[in-house]
């Protein structure tokens, strides 16, 4: 129950962020969205939040492996989502549609993964400096 | 810290006065020593060939890290590996003022003995020690490790 609550909170945060970003992009580009897009975005956010939520299962592996595995899981779930959309709405997603969908999903993922990578290195550097300070203070 | 020692062969009332600005770990260690509360770990060499059955007193400041393997606790020092009969949790509680912090389910490391903290390309963060060994800092303990470092810097 606690986990479900945590997941819903994460999903709300992710969806709010994506909606606001989407609205900003629409204003700048002068484009408009439709109901189907809103639902697909929500489903994609639910997948992303779920995949991010799995990180606790990967404590024993390296973060790099975790990022790759999470990406592959997300890709699999997104494929299921598109197949369900095709079945339920009786519509065909073209090859370009698949490509666009995965591209719009992959680019932010790579950017966020790079940021995470940078954060691990910068945080470790800071901690290393902190340890030096503590050691020097002890010696003085 | 300035240290004054006064030798008086006729002194029948030996005592220690400590003047301090704030209760830092080093002050706490002095108090523990005077009160005979200084934590001492006793252990036997992990290598059976070196074990003559006698327990050795280990100075916490000489320990690089503690490792819990198969329900046994080992202390890694410059002089070798020793088996300790305490639990990891009791050591964590007893040794926190001596620079020991939990970095994984089975490891307690001495921050004063860390030579370098460095991430690998796979983003796993390792603490390297003078003896050349490395201990991985688990992601689940990253926040508590950072909090501990901040706390230690604040009270030092």
């Amino acid at each position: 129950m606690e986990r479900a609550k945590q997941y819903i909170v994460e999903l709300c945060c992710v969806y709010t962020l994506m909606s606001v970003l989407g609205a900003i992009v629409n204003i700048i580009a002068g484009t408009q969205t439709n109901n189907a897009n809103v639902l697909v975005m929500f489903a994609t956010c639910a997948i992303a939040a779920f995949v991010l939520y799995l990180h606790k299962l990967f404590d024993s592996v390296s973060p790099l492996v975790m990022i790759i595995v999470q990406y592959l899981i997300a890709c699999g779930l997104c494929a299921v989502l598109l197949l369900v959309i095709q079945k339920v709405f009786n519509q065909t997603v073209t090859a370009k549609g698949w490509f666009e969908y995965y591209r719009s999903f992959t680019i932010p993922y790579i950017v966020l993964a790079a940021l995470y990578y940078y954060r691990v290195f910068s945080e470790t550097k800071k901690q290393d400096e902190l340890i030096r300070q503590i050691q020097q203070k002890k010696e003085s | 810290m300035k240290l004054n020692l006064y030798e008086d062969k006729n002194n029948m009332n030996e005592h220690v006065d400590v003047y301090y600005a704030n209760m830092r770990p080093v002050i706490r260690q002095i108090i523990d020593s005077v009160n005979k509360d200084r934590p001492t770990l006793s252990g036997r060499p992990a290598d059976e060939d070196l074990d003559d059955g006698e327990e050795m007193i280990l100075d916490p400041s000489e320990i690089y890290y503690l490792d819990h393997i198969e329900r046994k606790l080992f202390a890694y020092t410059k002089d070798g590996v020793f088996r300790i009969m305490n639990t990891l949790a009791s050591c964590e509680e007893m040794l926190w003022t001596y620079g020991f912090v939990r970095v994984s389910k089975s490891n307690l490391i001495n921050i004063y003995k860390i030579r370098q903290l460095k991430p690998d390309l796979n983003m796993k963060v390792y603490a390297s020690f003078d003896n050349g060994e490395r201990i991985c800092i688990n992601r689940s303990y990253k926040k508590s490790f950072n909090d501990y470092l901040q706390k230690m810097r604040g009270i030092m």
Side-chain angles (χ1 to χ4, degrees), chain A residues 103-116:
Chain A
R103 191 179 64 174
S104 62
F105 180 81
T106 303
I107 291 172
Y109 194 89
I110 290 172
V111 171
L112 290 174
L115 281 175
Y116 181 76

Side-chain angles (χ1 to χ4, degrees), chain A residues 6 14 21 75 99 120 135:
Chain A
Q6 224 177 326
V14 171
L21 282 174
C75 283
F99 173 75
V120 167
Q135 288 174 342

Side-chain angles (χ1 to χ4, degrees), chain A residues 118 120-138, chain B residues 111-112 114-119 125-126 137 145-146 149-150 152-154 156:
Chain A
Y118 170 76
V120 167
F121 277 77
S122 68
E123 264 185 8
T124 308
K125 202 178 165 192
K126 276 184 200 160
Q127 285 178 341
D128 191 50
E129 281 166 13
L130 211 54
I131 289 169
R132 293 285 91 74
Q133 284 176 18
I134 294 167
Q135 288 174 342
Q136 281 165 7
K137 272 191 181 178
K138 194 198 175 196
Chain B
I111 60 164
Y112 297 120
I114 293 175
R115 196 184 61 205
Q116 196 182 28
L117 202 66
K118 205 178 167 189
V125 178
Y126 287 93
I137 294 168
F145 178 66
N146 202 41
L149 293 180
Q150 298 286 356
M152 287 301 273
R153 188 181 61 170
M156 284 290 286

